[in-house]
């Protein structure tokens, strides 16, 4: 796919899925703007993109902090230019017994995973509206928006919120030709240290655990200008896990 006309902002890009997305978009010719709180790995990522012949920039941003988001957007506009794609990927997953989850912990998860996507989408879309740019937004949700294990209230609520935010934004931004979609990954193995066991792979209908490239391909599909008829949608990329019925015998 050709993203040579695009500048993509990816939050939480220093590690895991975000890092993979940044490398894959750069390979497809996009100008990549990465942001994260992990500056060391963020700078390493940009060095790798440039070594491969791509164009990339890194900025520190704590997406749970509105002031940090404001500074990020100013710096990008001044030194890189206007983005055309936003991937709200940064997220934290804290699991804790519901009776022990403190208000501050709940707020931290919601502010990092959900409020950040609202703030970034709102401010970047404002620029797109003014400059008449047909921008595209992808929110990184989770299959945990639809299914749960105990102790996942904050995370599940943040991801369910992202799926709902996605169709609300798609509706509000439709007059400006801005498309908004989300992806709900299942288990994507981003750890270089964890080698999945046979049972990890076999429990999936696809007989394997997910890889970052599975998410990149879904992102490419959703942000390709050719796919303008896909809007307000959530795509589940989980090897079939949410379609598998489980009865305990
Ligand atoms: P990850 O490996 O932990 O990477 C997330 C990145 O975001 C890290 O670099 C992290 O920095 C950064 N980050 C955390 N808090 C931040 C903040 N306040 N501001 C800016 N950056 C921040 O996670 P991942 O597995 O790649 O997940 C990426 C996204 O996919 C998340 O939204 C996650 O919920 C979603 N997801 C992942 C899976 C999966 O199986 N991997 C499944 C479903 C959904 P630090 O490392 O310094 O904390």
């Amino acid at each position: 796919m050709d993203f040579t006309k695009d500048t993509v902002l990816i939050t939480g890009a220093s590690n895991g899925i975000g890092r993979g997305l940044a490398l894959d978009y750069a390979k497809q010719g996009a100008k990549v703007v990465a942001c994260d709180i992990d500056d060391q790995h963020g700078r390493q990522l940009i060095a790798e993109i440039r070594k491969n012949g791509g164009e990339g920039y890194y900025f520190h941003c704590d997406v749970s902090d509105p002031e940090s988001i404001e500074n990020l957007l100013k710096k990008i506009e001044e030194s890189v230019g206007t983005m055309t794609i936003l991937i709200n990927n940064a997220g934290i997953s804290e699991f804790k017994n519901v009776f022990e989850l403190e208000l501050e912990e709940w707020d931290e998860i919601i502010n990092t995973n959900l409020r950040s996507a609202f703030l970034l989408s709102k401010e970047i879309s404002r620029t797109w509206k003014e400059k008449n740019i047909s921008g595209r937004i992808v929110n990184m949700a989770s299959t945990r928006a639809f299914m749960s294990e105990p102790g996942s209230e904050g995370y599940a609520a943040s991801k369910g919120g992202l799926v709902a935010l996605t169709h609300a934004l798609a509706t509000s931004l439709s007059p400006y030709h801005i498309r908004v979609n989300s992806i709900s990954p299942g288990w994507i193995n981003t750890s270089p240290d964890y080698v999945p066991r046979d049972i990890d792979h076999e429990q999936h209908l696809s007989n394997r655990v997910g890889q970052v490239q599975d998410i990149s391909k879904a992102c490419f599909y959703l942000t390709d200008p050719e796919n303008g008829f896909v809007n307000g949608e959530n795509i589940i990329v989980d090897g079939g896990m949410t379609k598998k019925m489980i009865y305990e015998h």
Side-chain angles (χ1 to χ4, degrees), residues 127-193:
T127 308
W128 287 343
K129 176 174 169 260
E130 283 162 11
K131 296 192 174 178
N132 205 15
I133 292 171
S134 302
R136 287 134 279 155
I137 298 173
V138 175
N139 294 320
M140 204 58 68
S142 167
T143 47
R144 288 175 188 271
F146 311 104
M147 305 175 88
S148 292
E149 287 175 308
S152 60
E153 280 69 20
Y155 188 76
S158 73
K159 296 302 184 178
L162 272 178
V163 173
L165 176 69
T166 297
H167 58 71
L169 281 172
T171 309
S172 302
L173 300 175
S174 134
Y176 315 107
H177 306 285
I178 297 167
R179 284 192 299 125
V180 190
N181 291 287
S182 61
I183 296 172
S184 287
W187 178 4
I188 307 300
N189 185 29
T190 56
S191 165
D193 303 326

Side-chain angles (χ1 to χ4, degrees), residues 12 14-18 36-38 61-64 89-92 112 140-142 155 159 185-188 190:
S14 294
N15 298 290
I17 292 174
D36 205 289
I37 48 173
D38 179 351
C61 177
D62 175 353
V63 296
S64 69
N89 167 75
I92 50 171
T112 306
M140 204 58 68
S142 167
Y155 188 76
K159 296 302 184 178
W187 178 4
I188 307 300
T190 56

Side-chain angles (χ1 to χ4, degrees), residues 2-10 21-22 25-26 28-34 55-59 73 75-77 79-87 124 128 133-137 223 225:
D2 179 13
F3 287 103
T4 47
K5 292 195 186 99
D6 285 302
T7 300
V8 54
L9 170 60
I10 302 167
L21 289 176
Y25 267 103
Q28 303 303 317
K31 203 187 279 187
V32 170
V33 185
E55 188 173 350
Y57 304 86
Y58 175 78
F59 298 94
L73 296 180
K75 281 189 216 152
I76 296 175
E77 194 66 40
S79 54
V80 184
T82 306
M83 290 147 281
T84 55
I85 297 172
L86 163 65
I87 316 279
I124 292 172
W128 287 343
I133 292 171
S134 302
R136 287 134 279 155
I137 298 173
T223 56

Side-chain angles (χ1 to χ4, degrees), residues 176-221:
Y176 315 107
H177 306 285
I178 297 167
R179 284 192 299 125
V180 190
N181 291 287
S182 61
I183 296 172
S184 287
W187 178 4
I188 307 300
N189 185 29
T190 56
S191 165
D193 303 326
Y194 184 74
V195 179
R197 302 162 300 168
D198 287 348
I199 195 173
D200 296 331
H201 290 303
E202 286 159 7
Q203 65 180 323
H204 292 81
L205 299 188
S206 300
N207 297 303
R208 67 170 177 84
V209 166
Q211 303 161 355
V212 171
Q213 285 69 32
D214 295 315
I215 304 304
S216 298
K217 284 174 194 153
C219 247
F220 289 169
Y221 174 73

